[in-house]
Amino acid sequence: MDRPVEPGHFSACEARLDKHIAGRCSVDFPVAVVLPAGGSGERTGLLTPKQFCTFLNRPLISYTIQTFERVPWIQSIVVVVAKESLDLMMDIIHRFHHRNVLVVHGGSTRHRSIFNGVRALSEGEGGTARVKPKVVIIHDAVRPFVEEDFLLKITMAAKEQGAAGAIRPLVSTVIATTLEGYLDHSLERTMYRASEMPQGFIYDVIYQAYQRCSESDFEFGTECLHLALQYCGTNAKLIEGPPTLWKVTYKRDLAAAESIVKETLSQSACVVTGGSAQATELANALQRSMSALDMEVDVISDLMGDDAKSLSKEWNFIRVSVNSSCFSEVGKMLSALEEADRALLHPVVIIWVYLNVSEDGLSASEPMGGEPAAMMELATGAKLGNILVYGIQLHHSKVHRPHGRQVKLYTLLIIIPGRAPSPRSQGIMGRPPPLWFRARSQSPSTTAQQFSWAKMPRVFVVTKICYRS
């Protein structure tokens, strides 16, 4: 394994940085971002440039813009696009309610496009002056996963050193070839690093570097840090970045980006109890179980008053009810999410968990009211608004038999907006349904289990019988 690059020293800057991160203090000077997005994306093999390719109902560039919008100390964002993509970019900004974003035309090369973006930060339409930022961050539009902590490192180092950039260890050996296609020599991999984004600059440094650079630099160059060194004498501070700085380059990278977004969205949930003591007890048990899986879980009584702030968080929601359907409350939750535009940027999941505890031995295979059909209708409509609604009904009954034997009967009804799997392909011997809620008996001696599938489309019923002496 390669030895990681030495991080060096930030001197006084590092101490201030730790204080900023620990206290989440705001940066006390203006910072802006330039996102070059004028590439054609030829390596993806797609007709649409990769920055405009869509997954989870949003184009890739919208995710990148949102990453910077979340940072409170960044004042403005400039997106540089090809002339033919201007209308598309403006539509994305309006559709997804992006704010403080300026769109400008790109140039014929990467450096020309970046310079257009940098210049737009200080020069308005008709040559009018704008208040220029102290630090400008340059970042690729197709790198959506940069974190605020790392942006803060780049920003503070740029302010102190004049320029700063992200680097990563090389994962492959770099070789030089002859004109005939033979090996000339190889480079010592441990002595070199891959230059990555983001990069940060004192505004005047990068602006003057572009004003002074040659036509050849504009035409063939790609490294902004080199321009700052060559034309302004500013030697950039290099900071090793996290693995999340990777760039969407090929078609398979779009699938990987979608997977990362889904993984992130699945790591947090808000459990709503409706104020019921039994539901709160069940919610607390869910919280303990999910927290053990490194998920962030909050338990609230409703989405009113102070708890309404949960609507603004990127959480999924679990509505818990015990011995009382509260199906109408699921509809109210859906309406609240729609009114708050919560599903505009990301899909939202609502799971209704209904636990019915009975002591009378009611047949667990018996349908539990008319909710399944109503739930399917609700879920079908919600899906059009980017909200996925699922239902779980768990019926638990206990029957006391002679000779001290007790039968615990669990019925699990899972409502999923989609087609039901066949018992042969998705049954007990295969993998479980897409959404699986495992019922566990507290009995220490389970001697028999029986499972059955409902024939109702898109609704699954699993019955588990546990015998306890």
Side-chain angles (χ1 to χ4, degrees), residues 416-439:
I416 301 175
R419 293 197 305 174
S422 66
R424 180 180 298 275
S425 64
Q426 297 264 111
I428 305 308
M429 301 306 293
R431 59 186 187 275
L435 181 64
W436 186 254
F437 188 91
R438 179 172 294 172

Side-chain angles (χ1 to χ4, degrees), residues 106-127:
S108 57
T109 64
R110 176 177 173 83
H111 272 323
R112 294 185 197 281
S113 292
I114 294 175
F115 187 32
N116 284 357
V118 170
R119 191 161 45 195
L121 288 170
S122 61
E123 301 175 11
E125 295 182 3

Side-chain angles (χ1 to χ4, degrees), residues 237-303:
K237 176 64 184 178
L238 304 179
I239 306 172
E240 184 165 345
T244 53
L245 294 181
W246 60 278
K247 178 182 179 182
V248 173
T249 303
Y250 302 102
K251 185 177 180 179
R252 63 179 180 269
D253 295 332
L254 289 168
E258 179 177 349
S259 178
I260 290 173
V261 172
K262 286 181 177 179
E263 176 77 15
T264 302
L265 294 176
S266 68
Q267 294 303 305
S268 57
C270 181
V271 186
V272 183
T273 66
S276 163
Q278 289 179 306
T280 301
E281 183 180 355
L282 178 57
N284 289 334
L286 281 172
Q287 184 181 43
R288 290 191 296 269
S289 299
M290 295 167 73
S291 297
L293 300 174
D294 295 327
M295 295 182 63
E296 183 182 358
V297 181
D298 195 12
V299 177
I300 62 175
S301 60
D302 53 41
L303 293 173

Side-chain angles (χ1 to χ4, degrees), residues 57 334 338 378-389 417-418:
N57 298 322
L334 178 60
E338 290 173 341
L378 183 71
T380 300
K383 191 174 182 180
L384 299 176
N386 210 23
I387 300 177
L388 306 178
V389 181

Side-chain angles (χ1 to χ4, degrees), residues 136-152:
V136 57
I137 297 172
I138 299 173
H139 189 69
D140 290 324
V142 291
R143 297 180 193 258
F145 302 119
V146 61
E147 298 174 355
E148 181 181 349
D149 286 356
F150 190 73
L151 288 172
L152 187 57

Side-chain angles (χ1 to χ4, degrees), residues 309-381:
K309 62 177 181 284
S310 299
L311 290 170
S312 63
K313 298 182 180 179
E314 290 183 357
W315 283 1
N316 298 308
F317 293 85
I318 303 174
R319 180 59 167 91
V320 176
S321 54
V322 180
N323 289 342
S324 176
S325 169
C326 297
F327 176 69
S328 61
E329 297 301 318
V330 179
K332 292 179 181 178
M333 180 183 296
L334 178 60
S335 298
L337 290 169
E338 290 173 341
E339 290 175 7
D341 244 353
R342 248 303 261 111
L344 177 68
L345 298 179
H346 294 294
V348 181
V349 174
I350 299 177
I351 302 176
W352 173 41
V353 180
Y354 173 30
L355 174 61
N356 188 7
V357 181
S358 173
E359 299 286 344
D360 58 8
L362 179 67
S363 172
S365 61
E366 186 176 319
M368 298 173 221
E371 277 90 0
M375 191 69 172
M376 283 306 308
E377 183 178 354
L378 183 71
T380 300

